Amino acid sequence: MAETPRAVALADVEPNRRRGGELRVVLGPKTAGATTGFMGVLTLQPGEFVSEHYHPYSEEFLYVVRGTATARLDGEEVSVSAGEGLLVPRSMRHRVENNGTETVEAVFHLGPLAPRPELGHVDTEPLPAPEEPQPQVGGAE
């Protein structure tokens, strides 16, 4: 548990576009002192996607707030609309796409944390913005 409860504003978190779309880790070890996982917001404009990857240590929870996202889970397509959630099991390859005409906004949570940040994601396709830095969620270094 964080030593001191802390509210973090979405606008105060730098976006990361390395894997596509706009990812912002709002609550995590670096922003709020979290010790078991991290939570953030994903924004995908029409035609954008988050490239395929998997998490060897974490489950991912995705809740769509606005729009309809298409998730590809080990190649199988699943549609997730506003008001719906999706569990991505540990080590399952997944890609999230916006194939619609409306912006997709989704909240994501991953837990537990990987033993080291660089072990948290394994990319399985080329990144849309490889020049962007790796998202820094913190955790054990």
Side-chain angles (χ1 to χ4, degrees):
M1 177 181 346
E3 292 180 21
T4 304
R6 182 168 176 204
V8 178
L10 178 66
D12 291 340
V13 178
E14 288 293 320
N16 189 286
R17 295 183 162 278
R18 180 178 174 82
R19 289 185 177 85
E22 180 181 287
L23 290 158
R24 294 178 190 242
V25 176
V26 180
L27 300 174
K30 290 200 182 273
T31 60
T35 60
T36 62
F38 62 94
M39 193 261 335
V41 175
L42 166 64
T43 304
L44 291 174
Q45 299 302 325
E48 288 186 325
F49 63 90
V50 174
S51 60
E52 187 185 83
H53 61 282
Y54 66 92
H55 311 284
Y57 294 93
S58 307
E59 294 178 315
E60 181 169 349
F61 302 84
L62 182 72
Y63 179 79
V64 176
V65 177
R66 179 169 65 142
T68 298
T70 300
R72 295 188 189 278
L73 307 172
D74 281 345
E76 184 177 327
E77 192 172 296
V78 176
S79 181
V80 188
S81 297
E84 296 180 328
L86 175 70
L87 170 64
V88 179
R90 180 181 307 191
S91 295
M92 179 173 278
R93 292 183 349 252
H94 57 286
R95 184 182 211 268
V96 181
E97 306 168 354
N98 181 353
N99 298 320
T101 58
E102 180 183 2
T103 300
V104 169
E105 288 183 2
V107 175
F108 61 88
H109 175 275
L110 280 83
L113 287 173
R116 293 192 318 271
E118 68 273 12
L119 299 176
H121 283 73
V122 177
D123 296 304
T124 56
E125 74 173 312
L127 302 176
E131 69 283 355
E132 285 266 335
Q134 186 80 346
Q136 294 299 308
V137 298
E141 301 293 335

